[in-house]
Amino acid sequence: MLGWLLAALAALAQGGTVTAQLVSCWKKCNNYRVFHCSWPSLGPAGNTSYILNLWFEQHGQSQEFKAGTVTQHRPLYRQLYTLDNTTAWVEARWGDQVHRTPNHTLHLDKAVKLDPPPAGMPFSKTGGQLRLLVPRPQCHGLEQPPQREARFWRVGDSSWTQVTCESVMVTEENDSVTCALEVNGTFVVQLRQKFPHWSSYWSDWSSNISVPEESLGSPVLSHQLGRLGRDGQRELRLSWQPVLTEQRDVTYKLEVRMLACGCAESDEEDNVALGWEVTEHNLTLSGAEYKILLTAVNAAGPGPAQQLHVPPDQHAGELGAPGCRRLAVHGRDPERGWATFALWHRYSRNDSLVVPVSINISTGDAAVVLQWEPSPRAACPGALHKYLVCHVTEGDNVTYSEVEATASNYTLQNLEPGTAYRVGVWEVTEDSNEPCSPWQPFQTKALGNG
Ligand SMILES: *[C@@H]1O[C@H](CO)[C@@H](O)[C@H](O)[C@H]1NC(C)=O
Ligand SMILES: *[C@@H]1O[C@H](CO)[C@@H](O)[C@H](O)[C@H]1NC(C)=O
Ligand SMILES: *[C@@H]1O[C@H](CO)[C@@H](O)[C@H](O)[C@H]1NC(C)=O
Ligand SMILES: *[C@@H]1O[C@H](CO)[C@@H](O)[C@H](O)[C@H]1NC(C)=O
Ligand SMILES: *[C@@H]1O[C@H](CO)[C@@H](O)[C@H](O)[C@H]1NC(C)=O
Ligand SMILES: *[C@@H]1O[C@H](CO)[C@@H](O)[C@H](O)[C@H]1NC(C)=O
Ligand SMILES: *[C@@H]1O[C@H](CO)[C@@H](O)[C@H](O)[C@H]1NC(C)=O
Ligand SMILES: *[C@@H]1O[C@H](CO)[C@@H](O)[C@H](O)[C@H]1NC(C)=O
Ligand SMILES: *[C@@H]1O[C@H](CO)[C@@H](O)[C@H](O)[C@H]1NC(C)=O
Ligand SMILES: *[C@@H]1O[C@H](CO)[C@@H](O)[C@H](O)[C@H]1NC(C)=O
Ligand SMILES: *[C@@H]1O[C@H](CO)[C@@H](O)[C@H](O)[C@H]1NC(C)=O
């Protein structure tokens, strides 16, 4: 008949569940007038009557509450001294038996039991650490985050494992709670919290939070990059091997960052979320330099990102010439997406526009061939418009001829034999305004001399 009591005492002796043998009295944090007192069953149900005793030492007063045959009671607020220590115990009587619980010291004003953390809290798990965003209980006198504990049950385990958690206030409303589980796998986790005072109680455990395996790796990415088209766009074809996981709760996050752009990190617009079944994606980019990040994400959070560097598009060799700068305007508009809107070159050196020429007069009586080294500007698209060739002889007006920017020689024809000329070759650029001036002398061959 006393088996249950012996069991209870055995538990007490082990120290494991002491509080279970004690009277507990608590209030909800935002309803300070109602106290809930309860205690373990101390005798046969239905035949045992209980008396709850509260002793207010500082006031030299005690209160007795007859609870009948139930193991709980709600004393009225005005019957209590809540601001000082109170000793509480319960007496149980059945037949001629009397039993009582050990004494328990309470500070009723702080004997708060919070509600458990709610369902649906956002969480992530990386490196064995579980991080949750937990709403802070709206509770008078709670100036620091509540204490929090977690317990987890790993798939295949036979019991809960309990750990303490760290809470950091992040906003008025929410705490960031970090629990070091330090094991891998798929879990069920529960969280509980406690007002930080010796006389307060742990909340009940929250409902189950299912935490999947952390993403195992980053997707293996391959790509094909197209050339910049006339529309200022090029296509990047991406494909990847899916991360190894049996769960279909994986999604892929594709981030597109234009490196030259000092834009805020990872503009939301440039992020693409893709389902677990997707293994390829085409991106339309401008000619600029990009960094592409592909990440597998599940409810535990993102795995490591796979990176791809997309170099800027440059028509081969163009950048070789010294002083040649390629300028481009890349951008993004809602209609087209990424595009290169304008592209041009600028030759930034202001060395002389005079071209040194060698003059071959051996070609004939009435013609000479001018030859020159191609200007470095000629290798810079758009920088050299053309060459201007001018020649003159005594008493005549200067004759001008235009020569393509790609040329490196020009034949002056219809010259007078045996005559002294001067010639000049000048580069013509976008912003040059120097006229061609003939300065290099030569003499055509005399008739019949050769
Ligand atoms: C309760 O007490 C009555 C009268 O003493 C007795 O007949 C009954 O068996 C008891 N019930 C239990 C559950 O002990
Ligand atoms: C109230 O009880 C607590 C816990 O037993 C004790 O630490 C504290 O000193 C007591 N306060 C007073 C005023 O007796
Ligand atoms: C419990 O506390 C009351 C009031 O202080 C005291 O009279 C009683 O002896 C205590 N009982 C035990 C077992 O300490
Ligand atoms: C607190 O977290 C919830 C999600 O749990 C979010 O909806 C809410 O905006 C957060 N509040 C603040 C002030 O950040
Ligand atoms: C969890 O898994 C990671 C990666 O597989 C491993 O490096 C780490 O040691 C594991 N941790 C534990 C506690 O097993
Ligand atoms: C919570 O998870 C535990 C451990 O897996 C399980 O025993 C329990 O039934 C779950 N509770 C609910 C309400 O699903
Ligand atoms: C990507 O582009 C290639 C060629 O233009 C096409 O064959 C492929 O189907 C495209 N993939 C997707 C996912 O649109
Ligand atoms: C460019 O030309 C101007 C005017 O002739 C001169 O003052 C300047 O030093 C030149 N700069 C370079 C880089 O040659
Ligand atoms: C000048 O032209 C002649 C005839 O075309 C050619 O034989 C000769 O090699 C040329 N000389 C030079 C220095 O280019
Ligand atoms: C030189 O040009 C001027 C004006 O264009 C013209 O009047 C004159 O006849 C020209 N001289 C010769 C020698 O062609
Ligand atoms: C003149 O330039 C042309 C190309 O512009 C080239 O084919 C030709 O051989 C050159 N002639 C001489 C004499 O260098």
Side-chain angles (χ1 to χ4, degrees):
M1 179 175 164
L2 291 182
W4 50 267
L5 186 57
L6 294 175
L9 290 172
L12 248 182
Q14 283 173 3
T17 52
V18 174
T19 50
Q21 305 307 315
L22 297 173
V23 183
S24 68
C25 286
W26 52 268
K27 58 177 185 169
K28 291 198 167 206
C29 81
N30 47 12
N31 188 351
Y32 62 94
R33 288 178 177 275
V34 180
F35 284 89
H36 305 254
C37 295
S38 60
W39 50 89
S41 176
L42 295 171
N47 272 3
T48 309
S49 61
Y50 296 98
I51 298 171
L52 168 66
N53 292 274
L54 299 179
W55 164 243
F56 307 105
E57 189 179 353
Q58 262 107 326
H59 304 267
Q61 289 187 32
S62 65
Q63 288 278 7
E64 264 190 23
F65 301 97
K66 291 192 166 63
T69 57
V70 295
T71 59
Q72 53 176 297
H73 186 70
R74 292 188 178 187
L76 293 174
Y77 179 72
R78 59 181 159 73
Q79 298 171 305
L80 308 172
Y81 293 100
T82 61
L83 299 177
D84 298 309
N85 279 357
T86 302
T87 304
W89 71 95
V90 163
E91 255 175 34
R93 294 165 188 275
W94 75 98
D96 54 0
Q97 303 269 349
V98 180
H99 278 275
R100 52 175 294 167
T101 64
N103 282 352
H104 180 43
T105 304
L106 294 164
H107 185 96
L108 288 172
D109 186 53
K110 292 290 195 291
V112 172
K113 182 176 173 181
L114 298 172
D115 286 334
M121 294 174 287
F123 67 91
S124 63
K125 191 178 83 177
T126 41
Q129 287 222 327
L130 180 69
R131 179 160 298 160
L132 303 106
L133 195 62
V134 181
R136 183 155 343 104
Q138 295 307 299
C139 198
H140 179 71
L142 185 60
E143 272 114 26
Q144 60 195 86
Q147 296 166 258
R148 297 199 169 93
E149 285 180 352
R151 62 178 185 179
F152 61 91
W153 193 311
R154 188 163 45 165
V155 169
D157 281 357
S158 57
S159 64
W160 295 101
T161 304
Q162 196 162 319
V163 295
T164 54
C165 305
E166 298 288 332
S167 294
V168 178
M169 286 194 191
V170 287
T171 63
E172 281 292 300
E173 287 172 32
N174 293 322
D175 295 329
S176 167
V177 177
T178 308
C179 311
L181 308 181
E182 282 166 1
V183 277
N184 294 325
T186 300
F187 300 96
V188 167
V189 172
Q190 296 182 340
L191 196 67
R192 65 178 185 174
Q193 54 191 358
K194 181 179 171 294
F195 193 96
H197 186 272
W198 61 266
S199 193
S200 61
Y201 292 85
W202 282 105
S203 72
D204 293 335
W205 289 104
S206 72
S207 54
N208 282 345
I209 304 164
S210 293
V211 180
E213 180 70 87
E214 290 170 32
S215 281
L216 292 177
S218 55
V220 178
L221 190 58
S222 52
H223 74 282
Q224 254 183 296
L225 181 60
R227 283 183 65 92
L228 195 65
R230 293 193 154 272
D231 57 358
Q233 296 183 320
R234 52 186 174 155
E235 192 180 61
L236 178 65
R237 289 164 66 180
L238 298 170
S239 58
W240 57 90
Q241 296 219 296
V243 293
L244 282 178
T245 171
E246 287 106 61
Q247 297 138 0
R248 294 193 166 179
D249 62 356
V250 172
T251 57
Y252 294 97
K253 186 172 79 165
L254 191 61
E255 288 172 76
V256 184
R257 294 188 193 153
M258 188 171 96
L259 295 181
C261 175
C263 328
E265 274 278 295
S266 172
D267 187 345
E268 282 304 314
E269 264 189 25
D270 301 336
N271 290 349
V272 186
L274 302 163
W276 63 270
E277 74 287 358
V278 179
T279 57
E280 59 172 52
H281 189 76
N282 291 344
L283 285 172
T284 302
L285 302 179
S286 73
E289 186 178 13
Y290 288 89
K291 190 160 86 174
I292 310 287
L293 298 168
L294 183 67
T295 316
V297 183
N298 69 9
Q306 171 94 4
Q307 285 199 19
L308 173 65
H309 175 248
V310 181
D313 184 86
Q314 30 184 277
H315 309 293
E318 276 175 11
L319 283 179
C324 185
R325 296 280 173 274
R326 180 178 179 274
L327 303 176
V329 176
H330 311 289
R332 192 189 161 82
D333 75 31
E335 306 264 297
R336 294 168 76 197
W338 285 108
T340 296
F341 294 115
L343 187 62
W344 71 96
H345 290 80
R346 197 165 193 98
Y347 191 81
S348 63
R349 283 201 334 205
N350 62 352
D351 41 43
S352 171
L353 296 170
V354 183
V355 181
V357 290
S358 67
I359 303 160
N360 189 342
I361 55 169
S362 66
T363 39
D365 303 333
V368 297
V369 175
L370 309 175
Q371 276 181 290
W372 61 88
E373 288 296 317
S375 160
R377 284 188 187 85
C380 189
L384 181 66
H385 283 194
K386 59 193 172 195
Y387 293 101
L388 197 56
V389 178
C390 50
H391 68 279
V392 69
T393 181
E394 202 64 44
D396 208 346
N397 287 333
V398 181
T399 306
Y400 297 93
S401 333
E402 291 184 356
V403 182
E404 282 183 359
T406 52
S408 61
N409 63 62
Y410 182 70
T411 305
L412 288 177
Q413 280 162 336
N414 306 319
L415 302 175
E416 294 294 327
T419 307
Y421 284 90
R422 280 175 294 131
V423 69
V425 177
W426 296 71
E427 294 178 33
V428 179
T429 63
E430 191 175 28
D431 48 8
S432 66
N433 47 16
E434 286 181 65
C436 178
S437 120
W439 59 279
Q440 216 174 326
F442 70 92
Q443 173 108 21
T444 52
K445 285 199 287 183
L447 264 178
N449 182 12

